[in-house]
Amino acid sequence: MPQITDISYARQLDREDPLANYRDKFHFGEKDLVYLDGNSLGRLPIQTKERVNQVLEQEWGNRLIRGWNEGWMGMSARIGAKIAHLVGAREDEVLVCDATSINLFKLTMAALNYRKDKYRIISDELNFPSDLYVLKGIVDLLGAPYEFEEVKSNDAQGIDPESIRTALNDKTALLSFSHTSFKSSFVQDMKAITELAHEYDAMILWDLSHSVGSVPVELNACNADLAVGCTYKYLNGGPGSPAFLYVRKDLQEKLQQPVQGWLGSETPFEFGTEYKPASGITRFQVGTPPILSLSAIEPGLDLQLEAGMHALREKSLRQTEYMIALFDSWLAPLDFSLGSPRNPAFRGSHVAIQHPQAAEITEALIRGDRGGTRVIPDFRQPDNIRLGIAPIYNSFEDIFLGIQRIREITEKIG
Ligand SMILES: Cc1ncc(COP(=O)(O)O)c(C=O)c1O
């Protein structure tokens, strides 16, 4: 039996992998590149080239404006319905539109307007900066008595639910957290924290950007109120592909969309001067959807649905475990520390490793110095190298080669 530090061990795991064939469904421009950044920008699905080309030539090129009535108008909801299956929501609770930050703004304003009796927003210091900027910006915009509280982490990796409980009181209107933390990969207990929010009669808004497509999410089963997330990471929707939002069914008619655009109105093509919101999730639409980018989301999404969230999570867990085992053998002795939880129940699909020379090591990995394997991870201040594993296309061999290369480079630098 080979050792975990033998490449034959990785190859054996790849032969046993029931999802291994999905790798062939993605574009590999540089054959030897080890891409460990699918949690920032996913790879291009081969089918997406065909789909986008079809939209360009046949739909835009030939059908021109008739395209709007031949599928474009309903595309945001139709693709949203597919995403719903990945996040445990009803098909009519998810809409694809705008950027994640914009959707966060829309839903936060809608929640605060709905809970006018309360004025506190709670998030945590590990949340994605854009989320914190948007939430704090809203508090500035609305002025007193609105206030923002940032729960602190005890270990710079995760957030203790008890710290969240301490921050809550009867004036808390909204809690907003990332389900999976962008830096450490820490996964919050959605059910427990949603229950905690509801215990205090507060609403909750989850950012699913680092979960969707890699960590199972059960929005309905957790009774979550609101959520947002992006499609260009594990969903492989392409650079800047539009984000999604989720609003629980019973809240849709109660919430007021703060950006009252024509495509969120009841009858946009009557061109009336008074805004009346559309019913259902459509009211959270604002303006004309970016059809080319939207259409690029669907082929990757179909692959995720076909592979199945359960199988993807199972593979992702095996892969992060394998990566951590290699880390322990090869990198821990080189002054690296693990920046992600060891407990798999609290870990998403990337592994953060920390080193005082992390920036220098990342640059050398990307340059592929001295003919060595070129590896693309990403770097997050001050000392984190994030190694993203997209279970739909990353192999165990990718993980082996990536960690082996980090060891080689660190030995040279150090
Ligand atoms: C967790 C999280 N939330 C929000 C965003 C910002 O998304 P957008 O650029 O779509 O606003 C990102 C971007 O990487 C993210 O990782």
Side-chain angles (χ1 to χ4, degrees):
M1 185 62 193
Q3 307 266 323
I4 62 154
T5 47
D6 294 340
I7 194 161
S8 55
Y9 187 90
R11 289 180 177 154
Q12 177 68 28
L13 293 177
D14 282 327
R15 278 193 295 278
E16 291 164 5
D17 170 17
L19 300 182
N21 292 340
Y22 282 95
R23 187 173 171 91
D24 299 336
K25 311 223 180 252
F26 289 84
H27 179 87
F28 280 73
E30 266 175 81
K31 291 279 176 261
D32 298 333
L33 175 71
V34 174
Y35 191 63
L36 296 176
D37 210 0
N39 57 330
S40 256
L41 175 66
R43 274 192 181 274
L44 167 65
I46 290 169
Q47 195 63 35
T48 302
K49 300 182 212 176
E50 222 168 276
R51 174 70 184 126
V52 172
N53 216 26
Q54 178 196 3
V55 176
L56 275 172
E57 289 190 10
Q58 292 170 30
E59 300 184 14
W60 178 17
N62 295 343
R63 301 305 296 160
L64 291 164
I65 202 163
R66 290 167 290 189
W68 287 111
N69 293 329
E70 294 172 359
W72 295 348
M73 205 45 104
M75 209 187 264
S76 304
R78 191 167 58 74
I79 297 177
K82 289 192 176 188
I83 293 177
H85 289 277
L86 291 177
V87 295
R90 290 167 48 134
E91 290 191 346
D92 57 358
E93 291 177 322
V94 179
L95 186 75
V96 181
C97 55
D98 303 314
T100 313
S101 312
I102 304 286
N103 287 332
L104 189 83
F105 177 86
K106 285 152 57 182
L107 296 189
T108 301
M109 290 296 281
L112 295 180
N113 183 58
Y114 179 55
R115 299 310 312 262
K116 282 199 180 75
D117 51 325
K118 297 177 178 229
Y119 50 80
R120 297 181 69 240
I121 303 179
I122 294 175
S123 187
D124 69 70
E125 66 169 339
L126 303 181
N127 203 351
F128 191 71
S130 190
D131 294 35
L132 297 175
Y133 303 158
V134 167
L135 297 172
K136 290 175 189 176
I138 286 174
V139 165
D140 288 347
L141 189 72
L142 297 176
Y146 284 93
E147 53 185 51
F148 176 80
E149 183 161 347
E150 198 169 284
V151 175
K152 302 295 174 205
S153 167
N154 298 329
D155 58 3
Q157 271 190 24
I159 298 293
D160 179 355
E162 277 315 302
S163 307
I164 299 175
R165 183 184 285 280
T166 307
L168 279 160
N169 67 26
D170 64 352
K171 291 299 171 201
T172 307
L174 182 74
L175 287 80
S176 183
F177 301 113
S178 282
H179 181 232
T180 302
S181 165
F182 82 104
K183 226 182 236 184
S184 69
S185 193
F186 173 78
V187 177
Q188 304 244 30
D189 183 340
M190 181 179 282
K191 192 160 178 47
I193 294 170
T194 300
E195 275 170 12
L196 185 57
H198 290 169
E199 206 182 296
Y200 283 80
D201 197 24
M203 295 179 81
I204 191 149
L205 195 176
W206 290 100
D207 183 337
L208 306 178
S209 296
H210 282 273
S211 297
V212 64
S214 68
V215 178
V217 174
E218 293 294 342
L219 289 168
N220 282 171
C222 294
N223 200 24
D225 302 301
L226 307 164
V228 295
C230 74
T231 61
Y232 45 76
K233 302 179 189 291
Y234 296 104
L235 296 188
N236 308 302
S241 56
F244 65 92
L245 57 79
Y246 152 90
V247 179
R248 203 180 58 224
K249 185 70 188 160
D250 61 291
L251 288 169
Q252 291 175 3
E253 304 298 314
K254 295 177 184 156
L255 298 188
Q256 191 183 336
Q257 148 76 288
V259 189
Q260 299 187 160
W262 68 312
L263 290 188
S265 76
E266 195 179 32
T267 50
F269 294 99
E270 286 184 10
F271 300 100
T273 53
E274 295 306 316
Y275 174 83
K276 252 180 122 186
S279 61
I281 196 75
T282 310
R283 72 175 53 186
F284 297 94
Q285 182 110 335
V286 179
T288 310
I291 296 301
L292 292 176
S293 300
L294 252 182
S295 62
I297 300 174
E298 202 164 9
L301 191 51
D302 287 343
L303 290 176
Q304 296 275 339
L305 290 167
E306 190 186 285
M309 216 32 259
H310 178 71
L312 288 165
R313 172 64 171 167
E314 208 194 348
K315 180 172 172 188
S316 155
L317 283 176
R318 276 188 290 122
Q319 292 188 304
T320 52
E321 286 291 293
Y322 175 57
M323 185 177 266
I324 291 173
L326 289 175
F327 168 90
D328 287 335
S329 297
W330 282 344
L331 303 186
L334 296 178
D335 207 16
F336 273 96
S337 53
L338 189 65
S340 292
R342 278 193 182 268
N343 181 346
F346 292 103
R347 188 172 68 234
S349 204
H350 70 269
V351 174
I353 60 176
Q354 296 163 326
H355 191 276
Q357 287 160 293
E360 211 181 321
I361 295 167
T362 306
E363 280 169 26
L365 286 168
I366 295 172
R367 279 196 311 264
D369 281 0
R370 291 177 213 140
T373 311
R374 192 189 298 275
V375 181
I376 300 189
D378 67 21
F379 170 72
R380 288 291 176 270
Q381 292 287 358
D383 58 358
N384 289 277
I385 301 176
R386 266 191 342 181
L387 303 168
I389 299 173
I392 197 141
Y393 56 74
N394 275 125
S395 62
F396 287 87
E397 190 168 333
D398 282 340
I399 293 168
F400 177 90
L401 295 173
I403 301 291
Q404 186 189 45
R405 185 69 182 143
I406 294 172
R407 180 182 65 152
E408 265 170 34
I409 282 177
T410 310
E411 278 170 346
K412 275 183 202 148
I413 287 176

